[in-house]
Amino acid sequence: MPENIKILHVLPSGTRQYNMHSWVAHLKNTCVGHIHMLIESEQKIKFLDAWVHEDHRRQGIFRKLWDTRWEFLQENYKGYKSYAWAKPMSLPLLLEKGFKPGDSSVYVEMDVEGFKPSGPSCFVSC
């Protein structure tokens, strides 16, 4: 990671229902990357999204953000269980760190077109 890029830890504000920690990689007061985690009940920590600006990718910023978050977790949340929903590009790093794969999921989407009455053709069983 270039030496002129710094990492800033953003603590939970206490003004919202979520207990979220964030780390921001910045260069000359401009965000070039970020990573987050959410402290949940029952001693669980959810790893949230990470992003690096396309002009600054492949320079070690994502790994530095990830390692910074991981070190903070190990120092402050021993005994908690951490988990993440990983995109294919992020999975190798999680596996390298010792995460075990769980169930897979598939991204789905649709446009919201307004009210449509439900019927037998759109029955969903839980």
Side-chain angles (χ1 to χ4, degrees):
M1 185 174 88
E3 289 184 25
N4 54 347
I5 294 179
K6 306 295 181 202
I7 305 291
L8 171 70
H9 181 192
V10 181
L11 296 169
S13 66
T15 60
R16 46 192 285 192
Q17 68 184 28
Y18 303 108
N19 188 358
M20 186 170 71
H21 289 262
S22 302
W23 288 264
V24 177
H26 61 94
L27 174 64
K28 298 179 184 175
N29 292 326
T30 299
C31 175
V32 296
H34 58 73
I35 199 164
H36 311 278
M37 72 178 202
L38 183 65
I39 311 302
E40 297 182 339
S41 63
E42 301 179 12
Q43 293 192 317
K44 288 187 177 179
I45 297 175
K46 181 179 184 180
F47 284 5
L48 300 174
D49 62 326
W51 166 84
V52 174
H53 187 279
E54 62 186 23
D55 292 345
H56 298 278
R57 293 182 183 155
R58 312 291 306 161
Q59 298 178 34
I61 296 170
F62 172 77
R63 183 170 288 268
K64 179 62 176 173
L65 285 165
W66 206 100
D67 288 344
T68 300
R69 177 181 63 185
W70 187 245
E71 289 168 15
F72 177 81
L73 192 74
Q74 290 177 318
E75 292 171 7
N76 297 280
Y77 293 97
K78 184 177 179 179
Y80 280 60
K81 181 179 290 288
S82 58
Y83 72 98
W85 295 98
K87 293 182 179 177
M89 285 182 57
S90 302
L91 186 57
L93 178 59
L94 290 164
L95 296 175
E96 172 190 313
K97 296 294 183 179
F99 282 75
K100 304 289 185 243
D103 293 332
S104 62
S105 60
V106 176
Y107 173 79
V108 296
E109 71 176 23
M110 70 178 286
D111 293 331
V112 178
E113 298 175 1
F115 179 75
K116 290 185 178 180
S118 60
S121 64
C122 62
F123 173 75
V124 176
S125 173
C126 295

